[in-house]
Amino acid sequence: MAHGSSGGTPFKNPVVRWVDSRLPIFSMMVKEYGQFPAPRNFNYFWNFGALAMIVLMVMIVTGLFLSMHYTAHVDYAFNSVERIMRDVNFGWLMRYIHANGASMFFVVVFIHIFRGLYYGSYKKPRELLWIFGVIILLLMMATAFMGYVLPWGQMSFWGATVITNLFSAIPLVGDEIVTWLWGGFSVDNPTLNRFFSLHFLLPFVIVGVVFLHVAALHITGSNNPKGIEPKGPQDTLPFHPYYTIKDMFGSGVFMIIFAMFVFFAPNYLGHADNYIPANPLVTPAHIVPEWYFLPFYAMLRAITFNIGIPFTGVTIIEAKLGGVITMFGSIIVLFFISWLDTSPVRSARYRPIYKWCMWLLVLAVVVLGYCGSQPAEGLLVVVAQICTFYYFLHFLVLMPLLGKLERPLPLPRSISEPVLREPGAGPLPAGATAKPMEKS
Amino acid sequence: MADTTDSDGHTGTRRDFLYLATAATAGVGVLAFAWPLVDSMNPAADTLALATTNVDLTGVEAGQAITVMWRGKPVFVRHRTQGEITAAESADLSTLIDPEPDEARVINPDWLVVIGICTHLGCVPLGQRTTDERGEYGGYFCPCHGSVYDTSGRIRGGPAPRNLDVPEYSFTSETSIRIG
């Protein structure tokens, strides 16, 4: 490790030395982003944390500049957004980056979550790290929802109306809560104002939780595709330059895809209805949320039946409340999977049955996304119900059961063992992988 | 409390009391400060002041309907035909999702006044125009999730849990009403 710094400051620059001896931020950067030992077997799924960080920064910067031109008032909001598109220098670019950036953020984060689920990154000792991640997901959803309301188009208005009305399903105080959320008796100017205020605030809250997420990561260290802990320096690489380079390559590929949307299909992921100014008297024929909410929207609509005591006609949970509980429950259940999963093996690579359950879960979520995009009628309701059922079955039943029933494949003795072994060279001498490896 | 003993061997009554009292005072202070902030998000005085609307009904013939705004929400005022009144009054209450007789929902049977917001998730149902899709019961049909209302604004099918709400209103004369 070239930057080794035990005692005293390792820096040559006198200003850096002066600062570092009073507030060791440079030492910290070297320790956490230079030397930080990361498992040597990362695959490209391990790019997505860094990618999420990049998109978060892009969103905050573009959002800051957009807010300089936006007017949060029902009479001016739509027109101020059109002015950004037509008159403000590069306004179209900032807005298209910001609007598509939200979609890119969710693509990246969904893959990041898949990575965590597939390779068991939520398991001991990374439970808290995972919980911070789920909190970030919830904050992102709230932020994205409120941001979509700001252009004050038809989808903005009616999306806000439908989603805020979800809270009216809460027993007893539901209507009061909705009135409080609105600051009136319908989605109106007070609602738009507070959504703008919160849309500005929440990204900084996200930054705070991301800091905790990364801090927790640097205590436990990263998981890896094998899901076994590094046994020594031979199993890790310093973060810089090995993973800084890999993350830069990944971000280059990512930005090409991002730019394709921004420059060639900027409205592909949006809805044409949102270019119609909001009208409280006319509901669009088909209200759909943004694509990243579709699986959850499908779960909301999948509960079409009241839940009660059988044969008595007593209703305990109305269909509407059931849908709301199901939708929020689909995220809340993620908080608990560190304890629901009873298998000591992290990576699905070594779990022959769980691996397929995991891909079934992906399929269920994708199908739910399709169901959410279509009108809720006919066969699609049943399909959405089956997929919702599997979603909860996966976390609440299969995770606890498979840990006990499944017979995992044998785990490698260490991360470096299969790397150091030459193809066809036969078994390694005992103990070879336990020794620190010399780098050439 | 008098018999609690801390690790140094002396009872902690006074200290415990001070500790709890300080924490309680600070807690009350935080709540007292938080309430104005929370309550500031409730409807403001000017929002509440816009809470009544007068509607002139002259010129709305039987079979026609008008939509007025009240508290930022659409209110459906429908001059019902004799057939629609009969259908509303003769409905079998035991078949209803939210049983309510028609006479409990209208002041004058000729006029149906309901808030035009679907009780499911807040869309505006169709049915104010005679050319609109009105659903199986000739009342209203919500295009969002397919709720069907009858000519009394009662829920008859689909995911909505309740009948369309009837706002507080009164007839100020034969041909005008005040909502709110």
Side-chain angles (χ1 to χ4, degrees), chain A residues 141-340:
Chain A
M141 291 175 135
T143 309
F145 160 66
M146 289 192 272
Y148 194 60
V149 176
L150 302 184
W152 209 243
Q154 272 289 67
M155 256 336 156
S156 298
F157 181 88
W158 289 102
T161 299
V162 168
I163 300 300
T164 50
N165 263 312
L166 293 180
F167 292 89
S168 70
I170 299 169
L172 303 176
V173 292
D175 288 328
E176 281 74 19
I177 287 179
V178 173
T179 303
W180 178 73
L181 286 174
W182 286 339
F185 303 102
S186 58
V187 173
D188 209 333
N189 200 45
T191 325
L192 178 61
N193 263 299
R194 63 190 57 184
F195 278 17
F196 180 53
S197 175
L198 293 171
H199 183 72
F200 206 115
L201 167 73
L202 287 186
F204 296 97
V205 178
I206 292 177
V207 169
V209 184
V210 166
F211 178 82
L212 295 174
H213 188 69
V214 173
L217 171 74
H218 282 235
I219 298 296
T220 61
S222 298
N223 187 28
N224 62 77
K226 291 192 194 311
I228 54 176
E229 292 294 322
K231 291 211 163 58
Q234 76 279 13
D235 285 345
T236 63
L237 293 170
F239 192 79
H240 179 74
Y242 294 94
Y243 290 121
T244 43
I245 285 294
K246 191 161 179 163
D247 283 343
M248 279 167 70
F249 175 73
S251 64
V253 174
F254 167 67
M255 284 190 202
I256 290 171
I257 297 167
F258 193 171
M260 275 165 48
F261 277 102
V262 169
F263 294 105
F264 297 104
N267 290 305
Y268 180 74
L269 297 168
H271 298 290
D273 270 308
N274 223 29
Y275 283 101
I276 302 168
N279 181 353
L281 293 179
V282 180
T283 308
H286 185 198
I287 300 180
V288 231
E290 290 285 80
W291 70 266
Y292 38 82
F293 290 139
L294 289 174
F296 307 100
Y297 191 57
M299 289 196 218
L300 168 77
R301 299 190 304 182
I303 309 302
T304 52
F305 43 86
N306 295 337
I307 298 161
I309 305 165
F311 313 118
T312 58
V314 179
T315 302
I316 299 171
I317 299 172
E318 279 182 347
K320 182 173 159 184
L321 181 60
V324 172
I325 292 173
T326 305
M327 186 181 74
F328 284 107
S330 68
I331 306 288
I332 301 302
V333 72
L334 296 177
F335 279 110
F336 300 100
I337 61 169
S338 307
W339 296 276
L340 286 169

Side-chain angles (χ1 to χ4, degrees), chain A residues 409-425:
Chain A
L409 303 177
L411 291 174
R413 274 176 298 168
S414 76
I415 291 172
S416 55
E417 181 196 52
V419 182
L420 293 178
R421 193 198 313 224
E422 297 285 321

